[in-house]
Amino acid sequence: MVQISAAHRPEPRDARDKSLEKKREILDAASRVFRRRGLQATGMRDIAAELGMAVGNLYYYFKDKEELLAFVQEDALAGLLEIAARVRETGLRADARLFRLIEEHVVRINEGTPGSLAHLEVEALGETWRREVQERRDEYERAFRDTIQEGIAAGVFRPVDPKVSALAILGAVNWTVKWFRPDGRKSAREIGREQAELLVRGVLAAGVTLETP
Amino acid sequence: MVQISAAHRPEPRDARDKSLEKKREILDAASRVFRRRGLQATGMRDIAAELGMAVGNLYYYFKDKEELLAFVQEDALAGLLEIAARVRETGLRADARLFRLIEEHVVRINEGTPGSLAHLEVEALGETWRREVQERRDEYERAFRDTIQEGIAAGVFRPVDPKVSALAILGAVNWTVKWFRPDGRKSAREIGREQAELLVRGVLAAGVTLETP
DNA sequence: CATACTTTTGAACGATGGTTCAAATCTCCG
DNA sequence: CGGAGATTTGAACCATCGTTCAAAAGTATG
């Protein structure tokens, strides 16, 4: 969820909703352009052009480029965290849950605008925002680490280092944004499932048969 | 290897070597700054500062920023391709070779300056140079794809999609540059070996025992 | 030394990008 | 309709970045 810093403290309800809605529009447009042109390469003017509005107007909704960037990243991470929560609720065995985490992650970041890949470049943020975003990212990584940890405890996974394994997995899936093409041979879901199979098998203990959801 | 376009066509031997040596120095310095500040974020002035020289001097050795960038990337890829060739020569079984490819890749891009991570951002290059660099990168990716393919043919790997698997592996290992810290708990080699074990096991056929070099 | 060359310098130029702001426009409610 | 706020505009400002260039410094050779 996006945390709104009401710049103008408007009347109770209507105006506030209107403003929030507009912020959403801007975030979505920014996501779209980021994906198309790359994060660092897109300027405020590009984002404004995508919306058909004047540059200056962006600054009515966001303090500066960094704040806009941070919001986009938090937004993307919020979506992923929601997925993680849903997967956890299934109560499936660790391998099946890890499988799903991977599959859904690949689908999410590669199709549909709200996915966005922006959170992959935290370096672009200044000290203040970076911590904020990184905290969320750590939370998301923890979903992977915990699942791996639980799998080890349950004996379905080998005794790997949960941190290194989680980062290997996240690296593999995040990398897909660099080469996935919507008009390619395979869908995001197909690729997600293939990668899930590879990566989950990589941590599976000997003698255990993979449980795929 | 770096392909030198002798800008000034100097006398036979000495001057040429001197110039080449200087180019090396610049490439190394550029690599260092890129790693520290990020690719897009570093300017010509930063690179010059790293060397303690004036900005303009860079343009005596490289036509423009793009050429410098392309050379850094080709340089990094050349190092990786050399590793790939050496691994192939070992004649080991496919799983052992893939293991080594992964291990050495992680070591190379994470320690020592000449490793560099610059080749991860091909988008920064213009049309002309991009093809040049991408061709080399494809060649490197082919080393992974071929090894996987051979493993499948030999029955040591499951029948995975070599392309998707290769990209998953490369994603996992390339991602290490985003989180590896030289002063962390584990060395680049340790991390490389752990990831190699995870990733190779991921493609291993049922019943085959991993052969680690 | 003197000469011819390579190498280095740093100021300056033009373009671009983030940002500001006063004015114009829109939106609602009395 | 009128006026008070919210929203939008776009020109202008300023810093930065890639790049150029004429001049200075260095280096080797006769």
Side-chain angles (χ1 to χ4, degrees):
Chain A
M1 257 296 288
V2 176
Q3 178 185 355
I4 300 295
S5 63
H8 285 274
R9 198 113 1 234
E11 308 321 298
R13 187 62 34 71
D14 269 14
R16 207 187 188 92
D17 286 359
K18 213 54 179 278
S19 174
L20 226 162
E21 199 178 306
K22 203 82 196 206
K23 281 200 172 189
R24 272 247 80 77
E25 262 180 66
I26 296 176
L27 290 180
D28 287 352
S31 275
R32 246 173 294 146
V33 191
F34 285 155
R35 185 193 291 268
R36 205 179 321 132
R37 291 230 236 291
L39 187 65
Q40 303 270 9
T42 70
M44 289 286 119
R45 285 166 177 83
D46 297 318
I47 298 170
E50 175 83 11
L51 287 153
M53 63 164 56
V55 215
N57 202 14
L58 292 173
Y59 290 85
Y60 183 73
Y61 294 97
F62 299 94
K63 192 175 133 286
D64 52 20
K65 191 190 186 183
E66 200 185 333
E67 186 176 296
L68 173 52
L69 226 72
F71 275 46
V72 169
Q73 302 201 0
E74 293 221 356
D75 206 33
L77 280 169
L80 293 174
L81 280 167
E82 197 201 312
I83 290 175
R86 262 213 313 276
V87 170
R88 170 154 288 283
E89 282 170 6
T90 62
L92 292 169
R93 211 173 67 176
D95 54 343
R97 270 185 289 133
L98 187 56
F99 190 102
R100 265 210 123 93
L101 278 178
I102 294 167
E103 177 185 357
E104 298 299 337
H105 181 107
V106 172
V107 171
R108 177 58 105 118
I109 67 175
N110 282 302
E111 63 184 33
T113 310
S116 179
L117 55 136
H119 71 104
L120 307 185
E121 304 185 37
V122 208
E123 317 89 27
L125 265 49
E127 194 51 46
T128 22
W129 278 110
R130 176 153 37 197
R131 266 214 296 278
E132 178 79 18
V133 172
Q134 207 134 48
E135 210 168 300
R136 297 252 183 172
R137 216 184 48 174
D138 287 349
E139 193 185 337
Y140 184 61
E141 285 178 11
R142 212 172 307 131
F144 283 74
R145 284 206 310 273
D146 289 352
T147 307
I148 292 170
Q149 190 83 61
E150 289 156 20
I152 296 171
V156 283
F157 292 161
R158 318 182 268 125
V160 296
D161 181 333
K163 192 177 168 191
V164 173
S165 310
L167 288 168
I169 291 172
L170 283 166
V173 294
N174 283 334
W175 200 253
T176 56
V177 301
K178 298 227 176 200
W179 55 269
F180 175 74
R181 294 290 170 267
D183 52 341
R185 275 209 242 332
K186 295 183 172 175
S187 68
R189 173 141 272 133
E190 287 177 295
I191 289 168
R193 293 184 66 88
E194 282 185 39
Q195 298 218 337
E197 178 135 14
L198 191 161
L199 296 164
V200 176
R201 278 190 130 92
V203 293
L204 218 59
V208 177
T209 344
L210 175 60
E211 206 171 74
T212 74
Chain B
M1 255 295 289
V2 176
Q3 178 186 356
I4 300 295
S5 63
H8 286 275
R9 198 123 346 241
E11 306 321 299
R13 187 63 35 71
D14 270 15
R16 208 188 186 91
D17 287 1
K18 220 34 181 288
S19 174
L20 226 161
E21 200 177 305
K22 204 80 196 210
K23 281 200 172 189
R24 272 245 81 77
E25 262 180 65
I26 295 176
L27 290 180
D28 287 353
S31 275
R32 247 175 292 145
V33 191
F34 285 154
R35 185 192 291 270
R36 206 180 320 132
R37 288 229 238 291
L39 186 64
Q40 304 269 10
T42 69
M44 291 283 121
R45 284 166 178 81
D46 297 319
I47 298 170
E50 175 83 11
L51 288 152
M53 64 164 55
V55 216
N57 202 14
L58 292 173
Y59 289 85
Y60 183 73
Y61 294 98
F62 299 94
K63 189 174 135 289
D64 53 18
K65 192 190 186 183
E66 202 186 331
E67 185 176 297
L68 174 52
L69 226 72
F71 275 47
V72 169
Q73 302 202 1
E74 291 221 357
D75 205 33
L77 280 169
L80 293 174
L81 281 167
E82 196 200 312
I83 289 175
R86 262 212 313 277
V87 170
R88 170 153 288 283
E89 281 170 7
T90 63
L92 292 169
R93 210 172 69 177
D95 54 345
R97 270 185 289 135
L98 186 56
F99 191 102
R100 264 211 126 93
L101 277 178
I102 294 167
E103 176 185 358
E104 298 300 336
H105 181 107
V106 172
V107 171
R108 175 58 103 119
I109 68 175
N110 282 301
E111 65 183 31
T113 309
S116 177
L117 56 135
H119 71 104
L120 307 186
E121 304 184 38
V122 207
E123 316 90 27
L125 266 46
E127 194 52 44
T128 20
W129 279 110
R130 177 154 35 197
R131 266 215 296 277
E132 178 79 20
V133 171
Q134 208 135 46
E135 209 169 300
R136 297 252 183 172
R137 215 185 49 174
D138 287 349
E139 192 184 337
Y140 184 61
E141 284 178 11
R142 212 171 307 134
F144 284 75
R145 283 207 310 273
D146 288 353
T147 307
I148 293 170
Q149 189 82 60
E150 289 157 19
I152 296 171
V156 285
F157 292 161
R158 319 182 267 124
V160 296
D161 181 331
K163 191 176 168 192
V164 173
S165 310
L167 287 168
I169 291 172
L170 283 166
V173 294
N174 283 334
W175 199 253
T176 56
V177 302
K178 298 228 175 200
W179 55 269
F180 175 74
R181 293 291 169 266
D183 53 340
R185 277 211 238 335
K186 295 182 172 177
S187 68
R189 174 141 269 133
E190 288 177 294
I191 289 168
R193 293 185 65 87
E194 283 186 39
Q195 299 219 336
E197 179 134 14
L198 191 161
L199 295 164
V200 176
R201 278 190 130 91
V203 293
L204 218 59
V208 178
T209 344
L210 176 59
E211 207 171 74
T212 75

